[in-house]
Amino acid sequence: MQFSENNSYREYFVERFGVPAEIIEKYHFYEHGRNIWAYTGKFIKTNNVECVGVRALRVKKNIKPTTAFLRVIGNHCTKNVVELTNEQRTVFMRGQKIEGTFSAEPGYVVVKHGEDILGCGLLTRTGLESQIPGKYREEESWV
Amino acid sequence: MDETQIILEKYRDIVPDFENFIESMRTPQPYWLRVNTLKISEEKLVSRLTDKGFVLKRYREMNAYQIASMPVKHPGATREHALGYYYVQDLASMMPVLALNPKPEDNVLDMAAAPGSKTTQMAQIMQNTGTILANDINIGRLKSLAANVERLGTTNVIITRKNAASASFGTRFDKILLDAPCSGEGTLRKAPPARVLREKDYMANSKMQKEMLKNAAKHLKEDGKIVYSTCTFNPLENEEVVRFGVETLSLKLEATKLPVPAEKGVREWNGITFESVADSVLRIYPHRIDTGGMFIAVLRK
């Protein structure tokens, strides 16, 4: 399966997260099955390609941003950004839901704690669901 | 004689200050880290880790910090590591990239890239511009490479799975890093070997490394630069491969300087002479600044 360039996905980051156009234009987006990759280099046509930059989106019924790419561009997001308290951060980074209301539109949001971009959350009517992948979830033994 | 000495005794005549060398190889290797300045400043990360109880010692003015002590068993057991703010990488292992000296907008091939320490170091220096084609053949190691590229937010890397000795990489490159698979004697302080290698094992490695260097030369632009490096001490995997590059592939050997103590290459080993290359290649030994071992040569087309 080939990686084919489709930069229309830039629009998603501009509209959903308010990323300035001049920032998102630095990234070229490549479709590969249901995954969309964000890449800042020059594309090299070769075989046996496994990854092109960082996986940015997964497309099924909806478009879902990845924690990895939100951590790359999160500092440029001006819309649908949720800031957590210390206690909420711990819950979120363990992959759990935080009950309550947050000032953002329902759907996928960028989740921050201080200067740290933690990743992707799903805001529903009842709270914020952590979308942090298992590999990034925090363990109790960590500092 | 312990296992370390059984493996390394054959190098008594070529490693300077051999008794100290053996002694250092018996002691655990300290951890080093590199701050991922794509995501955080050195100052901020050092402050955060220090507040958590880490004691870090900066090496000269470099982005390289020895972890003198830490409040966790493994240096990766922190929130900052998960956020991609640093990479645990030995100081000696940072040197091949400094020798290659990648610049923003360069087109770079990293032929045997997993697990990605040098790939991500280059991406950081290149500020996520230009292109790095990072390759490896082992699927398990490729997963580590992809995970590290993602964790560090490295967006200028294409990852391929190919045999570095024979594959086509689709274009020619300004710079190529061939951090070749090797017998890994320079990492003995971190992990004991599965078995003691024989001469024929070193010769098989040397043959494979020469094939990789030949393929690297094929993919290099005119006046482009190759850094050939290994983390082992055996001259068959080091000076002999570089000699092949100079005498058979017509590559030009270029002298280089590193910001760490390093020795010149071996002049003779088991009846083979390396006079033509010994003065221009570099060997980093663990007993000099408490690191792993490394061999580095810079070649041009």
Side-chain angles (χ1 to χ4, degrees):
Chain A
M1 194 186 297
Q2 296 294 312
F3 285 78
S4 49
E5 188 167 357
N6 181 351
N7 290 317
S8 66
Y9 292 102
R10 287 173 180 158
E11 231 10 70
Y12 173 79
F13 292 97
V14 174
E15 286 179 9
R16 176 72 196 169
F17 298 113
V19 178
E22 65 270 22
I23 297 295
I24 206 67
E25 277 167 14
K26 291 177 185 169
Y27 298 91
H28 295 262
F29 289 86
Y30 290 86
E31 291 174 322
H32 186 244
R34 289 174 171 172
N35 294 311
I36 313 300
W37 298 74
Y39 177 60
T40 50
K42 295 181 194 91
F43 194 75
I44 295 172
K45 201 173 177 187
T46 188
N47 59 1
N48 299 98
V49 174
E50 299 277 328
C51 308
V52 177
V54 168
R55 197 180 345 236
L57 298 165
R58 283 191 179 84
V59 182
K60 288 185 184 172
K61 283 180 186 170
N62 301 315
I63 291 180
K64 180 185 177 188
T66 65
T67 281
F69 189 60
L70 290 185
R71 286 179 176 183
V72 172
I73 56 151
N75 280 324
H76 299 289
C77 294
T78 55
K79 270 168 54 181
N80 293 315
V81 177
V82 167
E83 175 87 34
L84 300 185
T85 64
N86 289 344
E87 293 73 24
Q88 288 171 331
R89 180 200 194 283
T90 303
V91 174
F92 183 80
M93 289 310 292
R94 289 186 182 158
Q96 296 159 7
K97 183 175 179 178
I98 303 167
E99 305 287 340
T101 55
F102 295 86
S103 58
E105 297 163 12
Y108 293 111
V109 294
V110 177
V111 180
K112 284 183 72 175
H113 175 258
E115 293 179 328
D116 296 337
I117 306 294
L118 302 180
C120 181
L122 177 61
L123 196 59
T124 66
R125 278 178 295 176
T126 55
L128 179 67
E129 294 175 13
S130 176
Q131 303 294 306
I132 297 292
K135 61 187 170 184
Y136 294 131
R137 286 184 193 162
E138 290 181 2
E139 295 174 20
E140 283 187 26
S141 60
W142 291 10
V143 294
Chain B
M1 199 182 277
D2 60 17
E3 192 179 34
T4 302
Q5 190 143 8
I6 289 169
I7 294 165
L8 301 174
E9 181 62 29
K10 55 183 170 289
Y11 304 130
R12 182 174 285 277
D13 293 338
I14 62 170
V15 176
D17 197 8
F18 187 76
E19 294 306 328
N20 275 335
F21 166 72
I22 282 288
E23 201 47 50
S24 78
M25 292 299 289
R26 289 190 181 112
T27 59
Q29 188 174 317
Y31 289 108
W32 292 78
L33 67 82
R34 165 174 56 83
V35 181
N36 180 19
T37 51
L38 291 172
K39 288 198 169 191
I40 193 169
S41 70
E42 288 183 56
E43 191 182 18
K44 272 187 188 166
L45 181 75
V46 169
S47 167
R48 285 175 66 151
L49 292 182
T50 303
D51 287 348
K52 291 183 170 187
F54 279 71
V55 177
L56 302 174
K57 291 182 185 169
R58 189 178 191 187
Y59 183 74
R60 296 191 177 173
E61 297 301 306
M62 283 179 56
N63 178 356
Y65 296 83
Q66 192 184 79
I67 303 173
S69 71
M70 56 186 173
V72 279
K73 280 187 182 169
H74 188 272
T78 70
R79 291 173 166 183
E80 286 75 12
H81 186 266
L83 288 167
Y85 291 172
Y86 65 95
Y87 195 107
V88 178
Q89 182 180 9
D90 182 52
L91 176 64
S93 142
M94 300 179 197
M95 294 303 123
V97 168
L98 299 188
L100 189 67
N101 194 21
K103 303 284 187 196
E105 305 302 340
D106 271 348
N107 193 23
V108 181
L109 172 61
D110 189 352
M111 291 185 90
S117 53
K118 298 174 187 74
T119 306
T120 54
Q121 185 187 359
M122 290 194 287
Q124 183 177 325
I125 291 168
M126 294 163 69
Q127 296 160 28
N128 262 343
T129 69
T131 300
I132 301 173
L133 198 154
N135 176 70
D136 212 284
I137 193 164
N138 180 300
I139 191 71
R141 287 169 58 82
L142 267 181
K143 284 180 183 169
S144 305
L145 171 63
N148 282 319
V149 162
E150 180 184 280
R151 183 175 62 85
L152 271 72
T154 302
T155 56
N156 63 340
V157 174
I158 293 176
I159 296 176
T160 59
R161 185 187 181 200
K162 300 178 195 249
N163 181 349
S166 57
S168 167
F169 290 100
T171 189
R172 291 189 176 206
F173 296 84
D174 302 310
K175 290 170 185 168
I176 296 177
L177 177 62
L178 174 49
D179 187 44
C182 67
S183 52
E185 293 164 338
T187 63
L188 284 178
R189 300 176 72 187
K190 289 197 291 191
R195 64 184 177 90
V196 176
L197 298 184
R198 297 177 191 168
E199 191 69 1
K200 67 175 185 181
D201 298 314
Y202 294 112
M203 288 174 76
N205 283 350
S206 185
K207 186 175 177 225
M208 169 198 61
Q209 290 152 348
K210 286 175 185 174
E211 286 169 5
M212 287 185 174
L213 185 59
K214 188 176 174 186
N215 201 27
K218 205 167 119 184
H219 285 88
L220 190 66
K221 287 182 183 170
E222 287 303 316
D223 202 39
K225 188 196 254 192
I226 295 173
V227 165
Y228 175 79
S229 60
T230 73
C231 58
T232 200
F233 304 116
N234 197 293
L236 291 178
E237 299 185 64
N238 294 324
E239 284 83 354
E240 170 60 14
V241 178
V242 175
R243 189 177 66 89
F244 168 81
V246 171
E247 294 179 6
T248 307
L249 304 176
S250 302
L251 295 168
K252 295 166 212 147
L253 188 56
E254 188 174 279
T256 190
K257 284 186 178 173
L258 298 173
V260 297
E263 321 284 334
K264 287 183 178 176
V266 171
R267 311 194 85 80
E268 189 268 333
W269 172 255
N270 288 353
I272 311 170
T273 60
F274 307 112
E275 289 291 341
S276 60
V277 304
D279 284 342
S280 301
V281 300
L282 292 172
R283 288 176 157 254
I284 299 169
Y285 287 117
H287 56 307
R288 298 303 195 206
I289 42 166
D290 210 4
T291 62
M294 207 79 208
F295 172 89
I296 297 170
V298 178
L299 297 148
R300 281 196 184 272
K301 207 167 194 177

